[in-house]
Amino acid sequence: MIKYNNTYDRWVTDDGKVYRKNKAGETICCEQSKSSNGYLIITVSKPIRKVIKVHRLVYETFNGTIPPGMVIDHIDTNKDNNKLTNLKCCTQRENNNNPITKEKRSKAKRLCGMSEENKKKLSKLYKGKHLILVNGKRKWCR
């Protein structure tokens, strides 16, 4: 299914693709890139030039404005999967309590590989936390 988003002058599909018209009037697929935190983004010039997250654009196009204080959750936690069926509007707390998200966090904590003795030593220095690498990104392990 495809629907027009008047706010950003874009055609959006329910599987997360975004299209626009070029100056010649041809429909072209918008180039999506990744933000520093891993979300797919596009740059729009209407109403003003700005970068928007594709998952929010998809959700808003098919469901209307996202209420203040709400976020869009990727149900399967895959930031590349912007299918409408994989997106839901929820609070940040509900998003954090997504069972798949919780499992990923739990695995990251278990995989840190630091001995309990060293964790205790670092706890005194860093208030109970230490840094680990997960998928090439630094995360806090508790």
Side-chain angles (χ1 to χ4, degrees):
M1 178 170 36
I2 190 166
K3 194 170 180 183
Y4 182 70
N5 183 301
N6 193 45
T7 304
Y8 299 112
D9 191 27
R10 297 289 187 266
W11 290 94
V12 182
T13 66
D14 60 352
D15 65 349
K17 291 183 178 55
V18 183
Y19 298 89
R20 67 177 179 87
K21 298 267 186 187
N22 65 11
K23 291 180 180 177
E26 303 165 323
T27 302
I28 58 172
C29 190
C30 294
E31 183 179 328
Q32 298 182 13
S33 56
K34 281 201 177 185
S35 67
S36 59
N37 56 0
Y39 290 100
L40 291 174
I41 55 173
I42 62 167
T43 302
V44 296
S45 54
K46 290 183 182 178
I48 58 170
R49 185 172 175 80
K50 69 180 194 174
V51 174
I52 58 174
K53 293 177 181 168
V54 174
H55 68 285
R56 293 182 65 87
L57 175 64
V58 171
Y59 186 88
E60 283 185 332
T61 300
F62 290 93
N63 296 297
T65 305
I66 300 167
M70 302 297 274
V71 297
I72 302 304
D73 181 24
H74 287 87
I75 298 167
D76 68 359
T77 72
N78 177 357
K79 294 177 182 178
D80 293 336
N81 182 358
N82 290 317
K83 292 181 181 176
L84 184 60
T85 55
N86 186 48
L87 304 174
K88 73 174 183 176
C89 188
C90 62
T91 64
Q92 185 62 57
R93 176 173 282 170
E94 291 168 331
N95 190 8
N96 292 341
N97 287 327
N98 177 327
I100 299 172
T101 303
K102 287 176 87 171
E103 178 63 22
K104 282 184 176 181
R105 271 196 223 115
S106 173
K107 279 184 182 176
K109 289 177 186 174
R110 288 193 306 264
L111 293 175
C112 70
M114 186 171 286
S115 71
E116 289 302 316
E117 182 181 331
N118 286 340
K119 281 184 190 180
K120 287 177 185 174
K121 288 178 186 176
L122 283 174
S123 293
K124 294 174 185 170
L125 295 173
Y126 299 103
K127 299 179 184 171
K129 299 177 180 180
H130 62 276
L131 279 174
I132 59 168
L133 281 178
V134 178
N135 297 331
K137 294 182 182 179
R138 291 184 306 184
K139 304 259 181 181
W140 287 105
C141 182
R142 296 186 175 118

